[in-house]
Amino acid sequence: MQRDTLVFDLIRQELERQRHGIELIASENFTSLQVMQAMGNVMTNKYAEGYPGRRYYAGCEIVDQTEQLAIDRLKQIFNIEYANVQPHSGAQANAAVALAVLQPGDATLGLDLSMGGHLTHGSAVNYSGKTYKPYFYGVTREEGLVDYEMLESQARTIKPKLIYCGASAYSRDWDYARIRKVADEVGALVMADIAHPAGLIAKGLLSDPFDHCHIVTSTTHKTLRGPRGGIIMMRKDFENPWGLKDVKGNIRMMSNVLDMAVFPGIQGGPLQHVIAAKAVAFGEILSDDFTAYAKQVQLNAQAFAKALVEKEYQIISGGTDNHLVLIDLRNKNISGKKAEQALVAADITANKNMVPFDDKSAFVTSGIRFGVPAITTRGLVESDMQFVVNVIDNVLMNADDANVISAVKKQVNDFMSQFKLYPEMG
Ligand SMILES: *Cc1c(COP(=O)(O)O)cnc(C)c1O
């Protein structure tokens, strides 16, 4: 067969784009070469519906071992009893939990999308808002911190079956114990979605959600720096609260209910090549190198936030505990949309984002979100954050000046050429 040069040329162009720019999208990262190599392998050819040792297809002896390795390593990372590594993405992990825990029409309570929450926590355009009855809590107007009082009063009034915590654009740690307390009071289960900060939680740099939340989900490609995918976890298994029984009449454990919600509930054959790459990434997370990486992410985020504050950028909540900041640009007289476009023109990638109590639409927005996991992987340290903030500020203050933008772009490309990305790829 002829090599598809059209597609491979585009892949090459994408590599060059990633090399030249400053990547500040908070949900992105650069996997190691071996994680990527593990993804492009013959296990993509294998059907393996079911779980290790209990498959609906023959010939699964080898993929059973990679999947079991991924599960065992993940359990070790978070010190947990249960892990499912099959969800194709974070959204799929959340869909499986919803299917396991909720009936159509059941009430849920999550952080509002416009306040930093995620689509899968009850947004009207998502299955989670269409199938279930979503209610929301927000952040406080003054401090920009999760409004736990609102969460508690909503929970007491609504009596949701599931409370979601976790977010996509929130720079502070969570009080999981406080959420669990009200959940117990109203008979709700708590799911923590740690898609963003999982890599920091893995190394004990943020509070541990596992003791307080019944179920924890995550992506594997954000701060965990693995292949694109999802995972579902529990520190302790427990009997499903609805008295569901198996064919022998035994009450099913939550682990069985969750496994069945992933397959056959929402997925067919698992992506065994991606699961192999997850196993590789989890092995890397267990190393001391990753401990150093996670600490550097947090240090870089703090240095980055400090440099922004010095230039009078308004960080929601005033600072960061994790890897990201959300900026309200209204005092700088530029919309999130315009800021995003100007930054991209200078090879700086970040995404526009609603800020709490935003008066602009989701397409325009008043804010922008920056995260440092990807540039930390490139090798940038605290002392580099001033340069990064200087170029951002220069672009945002001169968003209509094509000369400034092209001069900054050159500075950005020169600067990033010091930090090699996939040098093995030539
Ligand atoms: C990124 C994210 C997800 C979804 O992950 P996908 O892999 O894009 O489906 C879910 N929840 C939160 C909080 C996220 O930030």
Side-chain angles (χ1 to χ4, degrees):
M1 223 175 301
Q2 228 184 345
R3 186 163 170 88
D4 191 333
T5 51
L6 185 55
V7 172
F8 283 100
D9 281 350
L10 288 169
I11 293 173
R12 183 75 206 183
Q13 284 177 40
E14 173 61 12
L15 171 62
E16 294 308 327
R17 188 194 68 81
Q18 293 186 10
R19 281 177 171 167
H20 292 153
I22 297 181
E23 182 52 73
L24 294 169
I25 294 178
S27 49
E28 294 192 10
N29 213 326
F30 302 108
T31 71
S32 68
L33 188 67
Q34 64 169 351
V35 165
M36 224 184 313
Q37 285 167 336
M39 244 182 296
N41 84 63
V42 293
M43 288 181 180
T44 190
N45 300 329
K46 190 73 201 93
Y47 245 110
E49 285 179 352
Y51 289 95
R54 42 197 171 105
R55 304 283 191 182
Y56 292 86
Y57 281 82
C60 293
E61 305 78 36
I62 317 278
V63 295
D64 273 5
Q65 294 176 55
T66 39
E67 183 165 345
Q68 194 58 52
L69 254 180
I71 292 167
D72 292 344
R73 287 177 175 175
L74 184 57
K75 285 183 183 173
Q76 199 186 335
I77 290 168
F78 290 107
N79 185 24
I80 51 177
E81 267 184 7
Y82 168 81
N84 186 312
V85 299
Q86 290 192 1
H88 302 331
S89 71
Q92 295 293 101
N94 291 352
V97 172
L99 184 71
V101 167
L102 302 169
Q103 293 296 320
D106 277 350
T108 65
L109 179 60
L111 180 63
D112 200 300
L113 183 64
S114 68
M115 303 262 176
H118 192 261
L119 283 167
T120 54
H121 300 184
S123 163
V125 295
N126 186 261
Y127 74 88
S128 58
K130 291 177 188 286
T131 315
Y132 311 109
K133 198 159 191 320
Y135 293 88
F136 300 97
Y137 55 92
V139 300
T140 57
R141 199 181 269 274
E142 317 73 55
E143 288 131 340
L145 299 174
V146 164
D147 190 340
Y148 291 98
E149 277 171 29
M150 180 182 185
L151 187 161
E152 285 160 348
S153 75
Q154 286 277 67
R156 288 180 186 122
T157 320
I158 298 150
K159 303 214 183 329
K161 203 139 164 226
L162 180 64
I163 300 177
Y164 296 106
C165 54
S168 296
Y170 184 64
S171 61
R172 296 301 187 177
D173 205 352
W174 286 76
D175 189 345
Y176 301 111
R178 184 163 177 183
I179 297 170
R180 175 60 181 263
K181 195 156 173 276
V182 72
D184 283 347
E185 197 185 306
V186 303
L189 292 179
V190 183
M191 185 195 101
D193 178 347
I194 60 169
H196 263 266
L200 304 193
I201 292 168
K203 295 297 176 177
L205 302 172
L206 291 168
S207 343
D208 182 345
F210 288 94
D211 275 338
H212 306 292
C213 305
H214 300 87
I215 303 166
V216 177
T217 63
S218 182
T219 59
T220 46
H221 48 276
K222 298 179 185 176
T223 52
L224 286 178
R225 210 162 64 176
R228 196 159 286 281
I231 44 181
I232 305 175
M233 302 167 282
M234 291 187 291
R235 174 148 296 152
K236 285 238 167 295
D237 203 357
F238 55 97
E239 282 186 0
N240 81 81
W242 312 281
L244 297 173
K245 295 191 173 107
D246 65 17
V247 283
K248 292 180 190 137
N250 299 317
I251 301 252
R252 280 220 225 96
M253 298 304 282
M254 203 60 210
S255 55
N256 310 127
V257 180
L258 287 170
D259 279 349
M260 287 187 64
V262 175
F263 170 82
I266 61 158
Q267 291 185 177
L271 310 175
Q272 289 300 338
H273 55 307
V274 176
I275 291 174
K278 284 174 176 170
V280 174
F282 298 157
E284 291 179 354
I285 293 166
L286 287 166
S287 74
D288 293 341
D289 282 354
F290 195 91
T291 311
Y293 166 70
K295 284 183 180 156
Q296 192 62 51
V297 167
Q298 209 174 31
L299 290 172
N300 283 353
Q302 279 155 17
F304 182 73
K306 186 164 168 281
L308 282 166
V309 168
E310 279 164 11
K311 291 196 184 291
E312 280 160 19
Y313 284 90
Q314 292 188 340
I315 300 178
I316 304 298
S317 86
T320 180
D321 298 328
N322 55 26
H323 61 294
L324 66 81
V325 289
L326 178 61
I327 311 280
D328 187 337
L329 290 167
R330 281 178 284 198
N331 66 325
K332 298 287 187 180
N333 293 317
I334 184 169
S335 70
K337 182 180 177 188
K338 189 161 179 193
E340 178 185 298
Q341 285 168 350
L343 288 167
V344 165
D347 283 352
I348 302 167
T349 339
N351 60 295
K352 64 177 187 275
N353 213 103
M354 300 273 278
V355 293
F357 311 101
D358 208 326
D359 49 5
K360 297 193 184 76
S361 75
F363 289 105
V364 180
T365 81
S366 299
I368 192 148
R369 186 184 68 159
F370 294 119
V372 299
I375 55 172
T376 306
T377 297
R378 288 294 296 267
L380 278 69
V381 294
E382 293 107 295
S383 54
D384 298 313
M385 295 303 120
Q386 189 66 55
F387 172 84
V388 175
V389 168
N390 287 349
V391 287
I392 290 171
D393 184 53
N394 205 355
V395 169
L396 298 188
M397 294 303 98
N398 299 284
D400 292 318
D401 188 333
N403 291 330
V404 173
I405 304 276
S406 77
V408 173
K409 178 179 161 131
K410 187 167 179 324
Q411 276 182 304
V412 165
N413 297 157
D414 287 348
F415 183 75
M416 290 314 290
S417 67
Q418 306 166 69
F419 303 97
K420 300 296 173 218
L421 184 65
Y422 306 123
E424 303 85 348
M425 292 182 182

